Amino acid sequence: MTTFLTAGLLFDLDGTLVDTAPDLALAANHMLQTLGRPPEDEATVASWIGDGVPRLIKRALTGERFGEPDPVLFEEAQALYGDYYEAHVADRSLLYPGVAQTLAALRADGFRMACVTNKAGRFTRPLLRALGIAAFFDVILSGDEVARVKPDPLPLVVACERLGVARDGVALIGDSGNDMRAAKAAEIPAVAVAYGYHHGVDLTALGAAAITPTFADIRNFFRFEGRFLLSKAMP
């Protein structure tokens, strides 16, 4: 098994820490039905996850992976979706097995940890708080807090700076091609979870250094020897 010496761990959110598909589907169907359109099943909505809420909404409106709806319709749909999802962000979303226990163990081991997601902050923090894991993270970085989102490496670079840990002392844990591409561009090793919303993409081919079948197994991939690697970007 590949083992990494790290001081900091960066975690994706949707599909890695939390199964958010049930609430994303509820929000999507509220939006569609309010617009006079038929609802979609949860599996279909889950297939739209992975490129941020705006792209999910566009997929719901167009039925195409990279379709572009009428801009006015999109703005109306985005408002409907956002207001509903913000009010119901944790109605049915669940932590994947072992997440809370493993984060607690990693925290006790001494790792500094960040949650790095493309999800907007208005959804991210309420979700993490509702599921009882917000306090495990030294940094929470949402998609609307940086100029570019994953697969761009910028969110990972910013997260490392805020953690105070150099990039050669961190690793990313994620479930999608966007996570793997971002990590590769940032020159950060990535461990992919075998579950989540990768939609059958070969994550190893996209740069994953290792794949873990469960979240609980993640702890086996990392060692921490009590030293923090201060980022060169930090004063």
Side-chain angles (χ1 to χ4, degrees):
M1 175 182 289
T2 303
T3 305
F4 308 96
L5 175 61
T6 65
L9 300 174
L10 313 179
F11 293 91
D12 175 55
L13 176 53
D14 297 69
T16 301
L17 299 173
V18 184
D19 180 7
T20 52
D23 287 318
L24 292 171
L26 286 176
N29 284 328
H30 168 79
M31 174 194 75
L32 288 170
Q33 290 177 297
T34 302
L35 293 172
R37 300 187 176 202
E40 296 284 357
D41 60 73
E42 187 175 308
T44 297
V45 177
S47 74
W48 298 336
I49 300 173
D51 297 294
V53 165
R55 178 51 60 188
L56 185 154
I57 293 170
K58 290 179 179 181
R59 288 169 180 160
L61 294 175
T62 66
E64 300 173 2
R65 189 149 189 84
F66 294 106
E68 290 294 329
D70 174 78
V72 175
L73 174 62
F74 172 70
E75 289 301 321
E76 180 183 3
Q78 187 166 231
L80 288 169
Y81 187 102
D83 290 345
Y84 184 92
Y85 186 52
E86 185 173 19
H88 301 276
V89 71
D91 283 5
R92 295 198 297 159
S93 294
L94 295 172
L95 296 175
Y96 285 106
V99 166
Q101 300 90 331
T102 304
L103 290 176
L106 291 167
R107 166 68 82 180
D109 288 341
F111 292 97
R112 293 179 62 76
M113 298 190 290
C115 178
V116 186
T117 177
N118 287 354
K119 187 186 291 289
R122 66 189 282 211
F123 311 133
T124 299
R125 286 169 176 77
L127 176 61
L128 294 174
R129 287 195 296 265
L131 296 179
I133 60 172
F136 290 124
F137 298 107
D138 302 284
V139 171
I140 297 172
L141 187 64
S142 299
D144 55 353
E145 297 170 4
V146 286
R148 299 180 300 279
V149 298
K150 297 178 291 183
D152 193 281
L154 179 63
L156 307 188
V157 173
V158 172
C160 291
E161 292 173 353
R162 294 186 182 180
L163 280 178
V165 179
R167 273 184 275 169
D168 60 1
V170 302
L172 172 72
I173 298 90
D175 73 300
S176 73
N178 281 343
D179 294 319
M180 302 305 111
R181 292 185 185 96
K184 185 175 182 179
E187 299 183 328
I188 291 171
V191 173
V193 297
Y195 54 87
Y197 309 133
H198 54 77
H199 311 306
V201 173
D202 184 350
L203 299 181
T204 301
L206 294 179
I211 296 180
T212 178
T214 70
F215 195 88
D217 289 330
I218 286 170
R219 198 176 174 208
N220 298 326
F221 288 91
F222 302 107
R223 292 186 297 117
F224 173 61
E225 297 180 352
R227 61 187 181 89
F228 290 108
L229 307 174
L230 295 180
S231 168
K232 296 177 182 178
M234 298 295 287

